């Protein structure tokens, strides 16, 4: 089984370098890293293949980086499977990925393993000043024990932030046909493309993270996945501006998650994050919330 990690970054390059250190210095199975980056100021680090791209608007740029990284992995490295990670999405436990690789390999017709990019509306409904929404929250509490997913939206989507896929010619060709505008929902576009080409059975779900928003948006311990945008707890958004954040989210940023991961080896970018008293440098001018 030939596997490559496809890492994509725009301006979160400190996150990207630490992700590489997690992968290259701490994962037991040695998989090459293909890094597609649209930051003109980025200098190559420990990736095996660096693919430079022009910066583009958010959604269009994300789709471009995604296709460029996977195309390079297939063309240059001849891999059977790809793991896509956005730069700020760290996975500490490689066994999580190996488990889903085995599921993909053992499931006839399976092409991609991913969570959706879904939203649980109930937390917001409970806080709403509108009586109707608060009543909907109560109704969800009645219906969900019976298996109904009332109040969960955007389930027909695939997380582009982290997925694992069979790197078949058909999958690569499907990706190459995706066209997006910047107000598109890339996760929904990918879901539609996969289902239209391969059918719903092609998707291996990741139930550990369902629904993603708000509880698992920034961290999902069962997947050892952490993707906060803020470098430390001191930089975390407030409860007033981001009421969906859990207490755990506000008490940890990248620094705290890295410190608690107990990794055997720390690279220089890890050390800088863990020891710097001023994290103003981290990821330059990239957005630190949301």
């Amino acid at each position: 089984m030939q596997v490559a990690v496809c890492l994509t970054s725009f301006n979160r390059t400190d996150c990207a370098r630490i992700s590489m250190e997690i992968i290259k210095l701490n994962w037991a199975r040695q998989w090459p890293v293909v890094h597609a980056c649209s930051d003109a100021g980025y200098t190559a680090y420990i990736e095996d293949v660096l693919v430079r791209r022009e910066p583009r608007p958010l959604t269009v740029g994300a789709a471009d980086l995604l296709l460029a990284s996977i195309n390079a992995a297939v063309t240059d490295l001849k891999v059977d499977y790809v793991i896509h990670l956005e730069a700020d999405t760290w996975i500490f436990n490689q066994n999580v990925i190996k488990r889903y690789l085995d599921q993909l390999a053992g499931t006839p017709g399976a092409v991609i393993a991913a969570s959706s990019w879904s939203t649980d509306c109930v937390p917001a409904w409970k806080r709403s000043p509108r009586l109707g929404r608060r009543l909907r929250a109560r109704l969800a509490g009645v219906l969900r024990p019976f298996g109904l997913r009332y109040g969960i939206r955007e389930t027909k989507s695939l997380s582009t932030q982290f997925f694992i896929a069979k790197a078949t010619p058909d999958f690569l060709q499907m990706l190459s046909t995706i066209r997006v505008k910047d107000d598109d929902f890339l996760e929904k576009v990918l879901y539609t493309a996969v289902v239209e080409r391969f059918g719903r059975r092609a998707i291996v779900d990741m139930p550990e993270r369902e629904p993603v928003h708000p509880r698992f948006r920034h961290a999902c311990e069962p997947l050892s996945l952490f993707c906060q945008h803020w470098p430390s707890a001191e930089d975390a958004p407030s409860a007033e501006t981001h009421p969906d954040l859990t207490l755990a989210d506000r008490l940890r940023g990248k620094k705290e998650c890295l410190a608690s991961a107990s990794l055997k080896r720390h690279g220089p970018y890890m050390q800088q994050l863990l020891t710097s008293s001023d994290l103003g440098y981290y990821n330059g001018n990239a957005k630190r919330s949301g």
Side-chain angles (χ1 to χ4, degrees), residues 69-131:
S69 64
I70 294 177
N71 185 60
V74 173
T75 303
D76 297 353
L77 302 178
K78 314 299 183 188
V79 297
D80 305 308
Y81 293 85
V82 291
I83 300 132
H84 179 253
L85 289 170
E86 292 181 356
D88 58 13
T89 304
W90 298 346
I91 293 184
F92 293 119
N93 185 355
Q94 190 183 27
N95 289 330
V96 166
I97 295 172
K98 182 61 168 63
R99 175 162 49 85
Y100 277 106
L101 282 169
D102 290 342
Q103 279 189 249
L104 277 173
T107 305
V111 174
I112 186 169
S115 73
S116 70
W117 198 239
S118 51
T119 297
D120 185 354
C121 295
V122 167
W125 285 349
K126 286 180 177 179
R127 296 191 305 271
S128 176
R130 297 170 61 177
L131 176 60

Side-chain angles (χ1 to χ4, degrees), residues 38-53:
S38 58
D39 184 336
Y42 176 79
T43 55
Y45 186 41
I46 55 173
E47 58 271 87
D48 297 272
V49 178
L50 174 60
V51 182
R52 296 193 181 277
R53 305 296 294 173

Side-chain angles (χ1 to χ4, degrees), residues 109-112 191-204:
V111 174
I112 186 169
Y191 176 91
T192 299
V194 168
V195 171
E196 287 181 352
R197 183 64 173 264
F198 303 106
R200 179 61 180 80
R201 70 192 183 103
I203 300 171
V204 173

Side-chain angles (χ1 to χ4, degrees), residues 9-14 17 35-43 50-56 65 283-285:
S9 69
F10 166 45
N11 55 5
R12 301 188 194 281
T13 52
D14 286 303
R17 292 182 181 101
H35 180 202
C37 180
S38 58
D39 184 336
Y42 176 79
T43 55
L50 174 60
V51 182
R52 296 193 181 277
R53 305 296 294 173
E54 292 295 321
R56 300 184 182 187
L65 289 168
N283 284 339
N285 62 356

Side-chain angles (χ1 to χ4, degrees), residues 31-263:
W31 294 332
V33 173
V34 177
H35 180 202
C37 180
S38 58
D39 184 336
Y42 176 79
T43 55
Y45 186 41
I46 55 173
E47 58 271 87
D48 297 272
V49 178
L50 174 60
V51 182
R52 296 193 181 277
R53 305 296 294 173
E54 292 295 321
R56 300 184 182 187
L58 181 64
T59 305
V60 175
D64 177 69
L65 289 168
L66 176 61
L67 175 60
S69 64
I70 294 177
N71 185 60
V74 173
T75 303
D76 297 353
L77 302 178
K78 314 299 183 188
V79 297
D80 305 308
Y81 293 85
V82 291
I83 300 132
H84 179 253
L85 289 170
E86 292 181 356
D88 58 13
T89 304
W90 298 346
I91 293 184
F92 293 119
N93 185 355
Q94 190 183 27
N95 289 330
V96 166
I97 295 172
K98 182 61 168 63
R99 175 162 49 85
Y100 277 106
L101 282 169
D102 290 342
Q103 279 189 249
L104 277 173
T107 305
V111 174
I112 186 169
S115 73
S116 70
W117 198 239
S118 51
T119 297
D120 185 354
C121 295
V122 167
W125 285 349
K126 286 180 177 179
R127 296 191 305 271
S128 176
R130 297 170 61 177
L131 176 60
R133 291 186 176 179
R134 295 199 303 274
L135 291 175
R136 288 183 188 180
R138 291 187 182 182
L139 181 59
V142 172
L143 295 176
R144 289 187 183 180
F146 295 97
L148 298 174
R149 304 185 73 196
Y150 181 77
I152 298 178
R153 303 286 188 259
E154 311 295 358
T155 57
K156 292 184 177 181
S157 59
L158 287 171
S159 171
T160 55
Q161 186 186 64
F162 164 50
F163 66 77
I164 305 165
K166 291 180 179 176
T168 64
D170 281 348
F171 182 75
L172 188 59
Q173 198 278 333
M174 178 215 72
L175 283 182
S176 70
T177 64
I178 288 177
R179 299 291 181 270
V180 295
K181 301 182 294 295
D182 207 51
D183 58 352
D184 283 343
F185 192 157
L186 182 57
E187 291 83 359
K188 292 172 71 173
V189 172
L190 178 61
Y191 176 91
T192 299
V194 168
V195 171
E196 287 181 352
R197 183 64 173 264
F198 303 106
R200 179 61 180 80
R201 70 192 183 103
I203 300 171
V204 173
D205 297 315
M206 292 183 178
E208 300 96 329
R209 207 182 177 195
E210 298 285 355
V212 173
H213 300 84
R215 184 179 173 192
F216 298 121
R217 168 61 184 88
H218 304 289
C220 181
E221 282 86 350
L223 294 178
S224 74
L225 182 155
F226 297 91
C227 53
Q228 301 93 337
H229 289 171
W230 46 96
S232 72
E234 292 182 1
D235 305 294
S238 69
E240 290 72 27
T241 61
H242 289 70
D244 282 346
L245 282 183
T246 66
L247 178 61
D249 285 333
R250 289 196 294 275
L251 291 177
R252 63 188 175 192
K254 292 293 201 210
K255 180 175 184 174
E256 289 79 13
C257 292
L258 184 60
S260 65
S262 301
L263 298 174

